Amino acid sequence: MDTPTLELFHYWRSSCSWRVRWALALKGLPYKSTPINLLKKEQSDLSFLKINPSGQVPALSVNGKILSESIAILEWLEETFPISPLLPKDPWLRAEIRSYCAMIASGIQPVTNLRITGYYSNDPEKKAEWARHFMDEGFIPVETMLRKNAGTWSFGETFSMADLFLVPQVYNAHRFAVDMSRFPLAQAIYERSLKTAACDQAAPHNQPGAVNA
Ligand SMILES: N[C@@H](CCC(=O)N[C@@H](CS)C(=O)NCC(=O)O)C(=O)O
């Protein structure tokens, strides 16, 4: 495919958005950046619901056609732009990496998302306690998988989709004061990743609207 016209609807502190920004940076794909401010509830504006009826970021416009859901976006990017691969060739290893990604994408991120904590309580401390609890619990299987598979990156010496899911989640864990000394491998990969150009370019502090990131 020729380089398409891409527009990313995202929020600077959204972990799902960071996954996609990072993949776009790794694959060298330029895009128009359109911030959706979640704190101002812009995700619920009618104009954005026409783009993503789920009222969530990220959403990627590809030559005017919209793709939502970070996993679908990443899989499409991977299949369409194989440069800087995010998945290995071996089917078993691919499945293991997808399983690890799902632990984060299904097991941790949704239950700690803004709309869940917001429904649970209006009290910032109670919301933080909820998020901390589910991250504390959710990082246990992630760290167990890392003990089995990690090298420099989550799966050995080759950077993969697994790292795209892990690092933004560790960033969120820090926001909610999760004790990451319990998860040293996850923390080490986080620190290592932030020193890479693509991760840093996609990181929250480099996005429009970032505040004290
Ligand atoms: N499964 C979706 C989850 C998207 C999601 O939860 N996005 C969050 C930010 S990380 C969001 O838009 N939250 C605002 C809301 O749910 O109202 C994906 O992977 O793209």
Side-chain angles (χ1 to χ4, degrees):
M1 187 185 203
D2 293 338
T3 307
T5 301
L6 299 174
E7 178 175 4
L8 182 67
F9 300 87
H10 65 125
Y11 179 60
W12 64 277
R13 210 155 55 171
S14 144
S15 60
C16 305
S17 300
W18 188 353
R19 296 170 193 161
V20 173
R21 291 194 299 257
W22 194 353
L24 290 167
L26 283 168
K27 291 181 182 291
L29 293 166
Y31 62 92
K32 178 181 173 196
S33 160
T34 301
I36 301 296
N37 190 325
L38 300 186
L39 295 185
K40 292 187 180 158
K41 300 204 184 310
E42 287 176 2
Q43 72 274 32
S44 306
D45 286 354
L46 199 56
S47 56
F48 184 67
L49 290 175
K50 284 184 186 153
I51 292 164
N52 183 6
S54 303
Q56 293 188 318
V57 289
L60 184 69
S61 163
V62 181
N63 293 333
K65 290 196 297 186
I66 303 286
L67 203 50
S68 62
E69 292 292 334
S70 61
I71 299 175
I73 297 170
L74 292 174
E75 295 275 357
W76 177 79
L77 286 171
E78 179 66 358
E79 285 168 16
T80 313
F81 303 99
I83 189 168
S84 305
L86 301 174
L87 288 168
K89 294 248 180 299
D90 178 70
W92 181 257
L93 195 50
R94 289 165 81 90
E96 278 198 316
I97 290 175
R98 286 183 170 120
S99 146
Y100 172 95
C101 292
M103 280 179 180
I104 296 167
S106 310
I108 306 179
Q109 187 274 331
V111 287
T112 56
N113 186 21
L114 206 61
R115 72 171 70 179
I116 304 298
T117 56
Y119 185 71
Y120 168 62
S121 175
N122 286 326
D123 175 356
E125 191 35 52
K126 283 189 92 172
K127 288 200 268 194
E129 186 193 320
W130 170 286
R132 208 160 34 243
H133 168 79
F134 284 104
M135 289 190 208
D136 263 337
E137 221 172 57
F139 270 107
I140 293 171
V142 170
E143 186 75 8
T144 305
M145 289 275 274
L146 288 175
R147 276 200 290 276
K148 185 169 154 252
N149 299 303
T152 303
W153 305 111
S154 295
F155 280 76
E157 296 311 311
T158 309
F159 183 86
S160 74
M161 202 177 277
D163 304 299
L164 297 188
F165 282 75
L166 175 69
V167 170
Q169 194 59 61
V170 174
Y171 170 87
N172 269 350
H174 283 292
R175 275 182 63 205
F176 292 102
V178 173
D179 175 10
M180 288 307 291
S181 68
R182 294 177 59 215
F183 310 113
L185 293 172
Q187 176 62 22
I189 293 167
Y190 170 72
E191 288 172 16
R192 209 168 284 135
S193 294
L194 285 175
K195 292 186 187 133
T196 68
C199 179
D200 183 61
Q201 185 185 324
H205 63 270
N206 279 324
Q207 307 313 310
V211 184
N212 298 328

